[in-house]
Amino acid sequence: MALLQVERVTKAFGGLVAVNDLSFEVHEGEIVGLIGPNGAGKTTVFNLITGFETPTSGTIRWQGRDLKGLPPYQRCRLGLGRTFQITKPFARLTVLESVMVGALHHAHSQARAREVAMEVLEQMGLAPLAHALAQDLNIVQLKRLEVARALATRPKLLLLDEVVAGLTPAEVPVVVDMIRSVYRRGVTILMIEHVLPAVMTLAQRVVVIDHGVKIAEGTPREVTTNPAVIEAYLGEAGAVALG
Amino acid sequence: MTVKRILVVAVLAAAVAFPHFAGYTLSSIAITALLWAYLASAWNFTFGYLGRTSLGHGAFYGLGAYTTVMLASKFGVTPWIGMWVGAVVAGLAGLLLGAVTLRYKVRGVYFALTTMAAAELLRALFNSWNWVGGPMGLLVSPLPDPANFVFASETSYYYVALAMVLGVYLLNRLLWKTRIGLEAFAIRENEDAAEAAGINVKGVSLFFVTLSAALSALGGTFYAQYMLYIHPDIMFSFEPTLHMMLGSIIGGPSTQLGPILGSLLVSGVDAAFRTLFTGSSMVAIARVMYGLVLVVIMVRLPDGLLGTWELNRRRRIGAQAAAKAAAQATARAAAGAAGAAEAAEATAKEVRPDGTVAG
């Protein structure tokens, strides 16, 4: 059974249809990329899956169960972890405390959450910064912290919203390695990415959306040679030039 | 640790001995200061924990006082019991206000104005409701009777107020270290991130708003039993909330002791200016100076006196730990691991000598 099923989901904000009749699945043990040009509706899809937005129509299933009506925090407790495109640090908490927050729902006490958080920080290479304030971190460290906090919630599926975007070329491989190491620990990953090379090296399967509509799905190689995808990214002229 | 313990014992001993050395005036000042310290801590359960600014805590403070006094005067219930009924009434009011504002996602300045409107609504209601005294207010029977929470001496009131401050401090300390405390801090820093990390934002927020309201009500009861007179324009006005805010923000809302020490400082400075400057024009100058002192503290130290100190301390600890880890990595690298050298370099670069981290 699929871990996550998005079935014919539509989300309209007034007259603007951000996501249109979208369906796709994520299976356990996969890295799936969700790509598309700016404004394609990728983050809206994440917000629908994690419960920050309610679909206008359609169903989202988690391990076969309809998630309708479940608030975000309960979806998190079911195993849906997420990061935010614009990092949302707990500015005046330390790195350790920030990660403890993610562990509280299963650790129940601050003491136990601290142990879990320390393990996660070790894994993520953030242990030396455990007692630094989140507001003092740089962008790479913030992105690591964002992933660490999500990992502390013990997700089965981790939704990464543009963790590579905004990094310098030198920083990209560092974060790509980080995602790979998270995956190797048995976490299924659904990632939104604007930086295509990062998705192409990581994802086994890619879903491409444009204007909220799925225009292609397949292996990275399949979608990059798909004329519809090239057109969405480069415009019609690009498609003709490459075709 | 032992120095800290000795200091705690010394402060407690001084606090307990105080009324035996202080005269009537000083004791009265101290009682009021302790009441504001207690109330600032109560208010801080919404501001310091959740990051929500309430301008309408007068509503809860007033409900506590009115419930107690009405129960005593109409039904002969002793204020020692009435105060808890008042806390429940105010707690329910807080729960309602919290539920409505959370349901409709009323945040920031809109939340602040909603709470203020709630207090104004109660002020208007109580002013026109004759059964509860209306615009005449309510008198508390002034006959000294410890069983009815009316004392002959300032000393007794002082000890009740001191016990309330200690109680609210211990409760604060307890919540700080438990799960729900950290959950609230996460909500304060970023609501969406907290929710995404598995925190029941609605539930935790309701808990703290309700607690804050109930505790404020107990302060209202104390005021009524101490001043022996309550009036809608006193109880439901902005004035009590202003005192709560000042103490908390000046002291440091994100610290355990900040609201208490901040309140004591504000009350102390206020009393000092009032005593030092007498005569009508001098009183005006004193008020201006008092205002200036508050402005300077708030502009220069936005996290409050203790809050700024605490943040700097945490920064220093973080930087030291990072530097130590970097040194260890360097040592390992010297032993031959090239990868560790890179890591050490990366970590060392991240922390500047002043304790901030390079960004």
Side-chain angles (χ1 to χ4, degrees):
Chain A
M1 194 202 330
L3 202 54
L4 177 77
Q5 291 162 284
V6 174
E7 292 168 359
R8 307 204 59 179
V9 166
T10 296
K11 175 67 183 179
F13 296 103
L16 175 79
V17 181
V19 177
N20 196 349
D21 202 20
L22 178 71
S23 301
F24 69 93
E25 292 186 348
V26 178
H27 298 268
E28 200 162 346
E30 275 190 308
I31 298 184
V32 177
L34 181 62
I35 66 169
N38 265 338
K42 301 179 299 270
T43 297
T44 305
V45 172
F46 266 25
N47 286 339
L48 291 167
I49 295 171
T50 50
F52 281 89
E53 303 274 6
T54 320
T56 310
S57 66
T59 313
I60 296 165
R61 290 181 195 281
W62 173 253
Q63 296 180 310
R65 171 187 172 182
D66 188 352
L67 288 179
K68 192 176 179 183
L70 275 192
Y73 81 93
Q74 281 182 9
R75 297 185 191 208
C76 166
R77 292 176 185 189
L78 288 177
L80 264 162
R82 82 168 285 182
T83 67
F84 290 92
Q85 181 182 357
I86 297 154
T87 56
K88 295 183 187 287
F90 300 137
R92 284 176 294 177
L93 300 190
T94 64
V95 167
L96 176 62
E97 287 164 342
S98 304
V99 178
M100 282 166 66
V101 168
L104 284 173
H105 77 85
H106 58 83
H108 303 301
S109 76
Q110 283 198 28
R112 180 75 193 104
R114 190 182 308 270
E115 291 170 23
V116 175
M118 276 316 294
E119 284 168 28
V120 174
L121 290 178
E122 292 283 349
Q123 288 168 16
M124 300 294 296
L126 279 170
L129 291 171
H131 299 284
L133 295 178
Q135 65 187 13
D136 293 336
L137 301 185
N138 65 34
I139 185 69
V140 180
Q141 293 163 340
L142 280 176
K143 297 218 169 193
R144 273 177 189 269
L145 176 58
E146 194 83 7
V147 176
R149 190 173 64 200
L151 275 183
T153 66
R154 299 241 164 102
K156 291 191 184 77
L157 173 64
L158 184 58
L159 286 79
L160 299 173
D161 195 350
E162 303 223 3
V163 279
V164 180
L167 301 179
T168 66
E171 291 162 346
V172 171
V174 178
V175 174
V176 167
D177 281 348
M178 175 189 83
I179 296 169
R180 197 171 276 134
S181 77
V182 168
Y183 172 69
R184 289 211 185 100
R185 285 195 191 86
V187 181
T188 305
I189 289 172
L190 174 61
M191 59 190 297
I192 290 179
E193 206 50 74
H194 201 64
V195 182
L196 286 185
V199 197
M200 296 313 167
T201 54
L202 284 167
Q204 295 127 6
R205 199 154 57 79
V206 178
V207 175
V208 191
I209 60 172
D210 187 23
H211 295 108
V213 180
K214 183 163 88 175
I215 57 170
E217 182 174 354
T219 64
R221 187 182 297 274
E222 282 164 11
V223 299
T224 44
T225 53
N226 184 320
V229 176
I230 296 167
E231 192 185 315
Y233 268 88
L234 302 172
E236 210 165 324
V240 172
L242 286 170
Chain B
M1 198 64 215
T2 40
V3 175
K4 202 173 164 187
R5 198 158 285 177
I6 291 167
L7 198 70
V8 169
V9 172
V11 168
L12 278 179
V16 170
F18 179 83
H20 298 285
F21 299 99
Y24 175 84
T25 315
L26 259 187
S27 289
S28 309
I29 292 171
I31 289 164
T32 317
L34 285 173
L35 176 62
W36 294 132
Y38 167 84
L39 284 164
S41 301
W43 182 77
N44 204 49
F45 281 116
T46 46
F47 185 72
Y49 277 80
L50 297 174
R52 286 180 176 265
T53 313
S54 162
L55 298 180
H57 262 52
F60 312 126
Y61 175 75
L63 280 176
Y66 267 93
T67 305
T68 310
V69 176
M70 284 300 290
L71 280 174
S73 60
K74 305 270 176 184
F75 305 101
V77 179
T78 166
W80 293 115
I81 291 169
M83 65 194 280
W84 300 107
V85 181
V88 170
V89 169
L92 288 174
L95 188 67
L96 179 70
L97 191 64
V100 170
T101 51
L102 280 161
R103 168 70 183 78
Y104 295 100
K105 301 199 189 303
V106 183
R107 291 179 196 176
V109 80
Y110 302 99
F111 176 81
L113 289 176
T114 305
T115 55
M116 200 170 190
E120 279 304 310
L121 188 146
L122 287 177
R123 189 221 288 253
L125 176 72
F126 277 68
N127 256 322
S128 53
W129 189 7
N130 287 327
W131 190 61
V132 298
M136 300 299 289
L138 283 175
L139 281 166
V140 176
S141 158
L143 242 64
D145 178 6
N148 275 321
F149 201 157
V150 178
F151 304 108
S153 77
E154 296 291 287
T155 311
S156 304
Y157 282 111
Y158 174 89
Y159 284 128
V160 174
L162 184 65
M164 286 170 75
V165 170
L166 283 177
V168 81
Y169 170 71
L170 291 175
L171 179 65
N172 189 21
R173 219 178 128 89
L174 177 78
L175 288 172
W176 210 274
K177 292 286 168 204
T178 47
R179 172 182 169 176
I180 202 167
L182 185 55
E183 288 180 328
F185 296 146
I187 293 170
R188 178 189 74 196
E189 297 298 325
N190 193 306
E191 235 175 88
D192 283 345
E195 179 89 27
I199 287 168
N200 180 354
V201 170
K202 214 173 249 185
V204 173
S205 300
L206 281 180
F207 172 81
F208 278 99
V209 171
T210 306
L211 177 71
S212 181
L215 290 172
S216 301
L218 297 180
T221 296
F222 181 89
Y223 177 90
Q225 298 304 124
Y226 178 56
M227 301 306 282
L228 303 175
Y229 176 66
I230 56 175
H231 187 281
D233 291 346
I234 300 170
M235 304 314 292
F236 296 111
S237 72
F238 180 58
E239 176 109 9
T241 311
L242 180 68
H243 283 279
M244 300 181 202
M245 291 176 76
L246 271 183
S248 163
I249 292 171
I250 297 280
S254 54
T255 61
Q256 291 181 30
L257 267 177
I260 294 174
L261 293 185
S263 296
L264 296 182
L265 181 78
V266 170
S267 300
V269 171
D270 185 27
F273 278 148
R274 280 176 199 271
T275 342
L276 290 174
F277 303 98
T278 46
S280 59
S281 62
M282 288 309 270
V283 166
I285 292 170
R287 299 313 293 165
V288 172
M289 286 178 69
Y290 171 64
L292 279 178
V293 168
L294 298 182
V295 168
V296 167
I297 293 176
M298 279 190 270
V299 169
R300 298 298 303 169
L301 305 167
D303 288 300
L305 294 166
L306 268 186
T308 307
W309 182 79
E310 174 71 11
L311 269 183
N312 286 335
R313 190 182 68 89
R314 282 158 66 98
R315 272 221 173 90
R316 220 167 40 241
I317 291 172
Q320 279 166 1
K324 198 175 143 199
Q328 282 169 353
T330 312
R332 273 202 303 277
E342 278 169 31
E345 200 186 358
T347 317
K349 251 189 286 179
E350 282 154 5
V351 183
R352 298 195 200 102
D354 63 354
T356 57
V357 181

